[in-house]
Amino acid sequence: MNIIVKQTDFRGSYAILMESAAIKLIVLPQAGGSIVSLQYKETGKEWLVNALGEGIRQASYGDTFSEEMMHGWDECFPTIDACHYPLPGSHKHTYLPDHGELWSVVWTYNMTEHSLVTETSGKALPYSFTRTISFINEQTLQFSYLVRNPSEEPITAFWCAHPLFSATEHTQIQIPPELDSVLCVVGGKRYEKGKSYKWNQGAVVHSGMAIDRLAPVSAQDSRKFYAGIPFATGLAGLYEQDTGEFVQLSWSVKELPYFGLWINEGYYNDKLMVALEPSNGFYDSLDEAHKRKKTLLLEPGASASWSIHVKLGVDYR
């Protein structure tokens, strides 16, 4: 397997290129470790939503995510929604910014012949966070994560992947196969927060549209669902019904027992986008997840690790 890992330029920003015969990936370590390109080379399909404008602006700590960076792939930790830290101790009531801390800080990096290791640390909370990207095969990437708590107090937090995948009106959204229903946590115009909906792929089930398909950007709508029940298979993806192109995420449900799904139909910008979000917390606010006892708890000096696989390809069904 011939793998390239090298320094490059992306719209005037310092970047790292990772490339196999099938996949090209570009990472900006100095811009929150953001992945700004994930391309399937055979068809030229770019799976990540592109940044608007000529360049990439480095966000400032505490910025609002939806006003700054509705593109690419970033990592959410130790929360998604802004909130105050819930555990008693020296960090009680510490403010945690929108979308967490990682997307708006500089990451250090180390390249090998086959992988890219990026690392950063918390500002509001004492932790280190490491992401290693490597190739399993020509079509499959592995993202491995490690978080450490070097402090003398326990830390509660959670992580979720936040890839903003570019979608079309031909995109079919595929969720873990055991899930026949999903819990709505942001309803938008067509759904109701707090209600569960049947996930019948391909069937017209609500407001004249299939729940696993997207309306045009003219809908100016947005919604989010979570897996409201446990599931056994960590598998989700997007499938383009007109071309057969697909992106598929897979993971261990022991490591990442929760799953979120966010959809934008022109509400935040003029894009169709889908975020597939394996997670070790439920759901968006750390304070809320702590109340539900569904977070990652790191004892003093402890660490936790998890990984996901990302596969690109074409399936001419």
Side-chain angles (χ1 to χ4, degrees):
M1 183 169 56
N2 184 27
I3 302 299
I4 297 172
V5 183
K6 68 177 185 179
Q7 300 174 3
T8 188
D9 176 85
F10 183 82
R11 298 191 186 181
S13 294
Y14 182 82
I16 306 297
L17 168 70
M18 299 186 68
E19 190 169 6
S20 71
I23 294 175
K24 183 168 71 174
L25 175 129
I26 297 176
V27 181
L28 303 185
Q30 295 177 326
S34 174
I35 303 166
V36 291
S37 180
L38 178 61
Q39 185 182 109
Y40 185 59
K41 293 166 62 176
E42 179 181 327
T43 63
K45 170 73 170 178
E46 174 56 65
W47 274 105
L48 294 178
V49 173
N50 290 321
L52 300 176
E54 294 298 322
I56 303 292
R57 192 185 82 82
Q58 169 62 40
S60 298
Y61 185 86
D63 282 351
T64 299
F65 181 82
S66 61
E67 296 175 358
E68 297 294 336
M69 193 192 143
M70 298 296 285
H71 66 269
W73 179 322
D74 61 286
E75 314 292 344
C76 293
F77 190 89
T79 185
I80 302 175
D81 286 350
C83 66
H84 290 91
Y85 185 70
L87 278 193
S90 58
H91 305 292
K92 177 72 172 177
H93 300 312
T94 295
Y95 179 74
L96 302 176
D98 180 55
H99 217 68
E101 300 190 290
L102 304 183
W103 71 282
S104 61
V105 296
V106 173
W107 294 49
T108 60
Y109 69 92
N110 180 49
M111 294 183 294
T112 74
E113 292 183 0
H114 303 289
S115 65
L116 173 64
V117 182
T118 50
E119 185 173 8
T120 191
S121 56
K123 289 189 174 184
L125 301 175
Y127 62 85
S128 66
F129 190 96
T130 304
R131 179 188 67 198
T132 302
I133 305 176
S134 56
F135 280 92
I136 299 296
N137 55 49
E138 303 282 8
Q139 291 183 248
T140 309
L141 290 155
Q142 177 169 289
F143 290 32
S144 300
Y145 298 88
L146 175 66
V147 60
R148 296 185 179 92
N149 173 16
S151 74
E152 297 180 356
E153 297 181 12
I155 291 176
T156 189
F158 71 86
W159 167 90
C160 87
H162 197 259
L164 294 180
F165 289 125
S166 182
T168 73
E169 292 176 53
H170 300 287
T171 303
Q172 183 179 46
I173 305 167
Q174 300 168 333
I175 65 173
E178 295 86 10
L179 292 177
D180 61 358
S181 67
V182 287
L183 173 66
C184 180
V185 297
V186 176
K189 297 177 180 178
R190 300 201 304 274
Y191 296 86
E192 182 180 342
K193 180 179 179 180
K195 185 176 178 180
S196 292
Y197 290 88
K198 287 292 183 181
W199 190 271
N200 299 317
Q201 290 197 348
V204 177
V205 295
H206 191 74
S207 300
M209 280 198 65
I211 194 171
D212 63 336
R213 301 294 296 275
L214 285 83
V217 293
S218 58
Q220 295 188 326
D221 201 4
S222 178
R223 56 193 176 275
K224 185 166 186 178
F225 302 101
Y226 264 96
I229 58 174
F231 54 95
T233 307
L235 192 68
L238 303 180
Y239 177 74
E240 297 295 333
Q241 294 188 318
D242 58 336
T243 65
E245 295 163 309
F246 68 85
V247 57
Q248 183 183 79
L249 272 58
S250 57
W251 64 94
S252 163
V253 296
K254 290 182 179 180
E255 296 176 347
L256 302 170
Y258 312 112
F259 173 73
L261 169 67
W262 179 77
I263 298 165
N264 177 71
E265 298 164 332
Y267 182 82
Y268 288 96
N269 51 30
D270 62 349
K271 306 284 187 180
L272 291 180
M273 61 180 79
V274 177
L276 305 172
E277 303 180 0
S279 177
N280 47 28
F282 177 86
Y283 50 92
D284 288 9
S285 162
L286 177 61
D287 182 55
E288 176 68 25
H290 174 67
K291 292 175 183 176
R292 295 170 179 264
K293 298 182 179 179
K294 294 184 176 182
T295 65
L296 181 68
L297 182 65
L298 290 172
E299 297 294 343
S303 62
S305 60
W306 60 91
S307 64
I308 62 173
H309 289 176
V310 182
K311 182 178 181 180
L312 306 184
V314 180
D315 181 6
Y316 301 109
R317 299 180 181 180

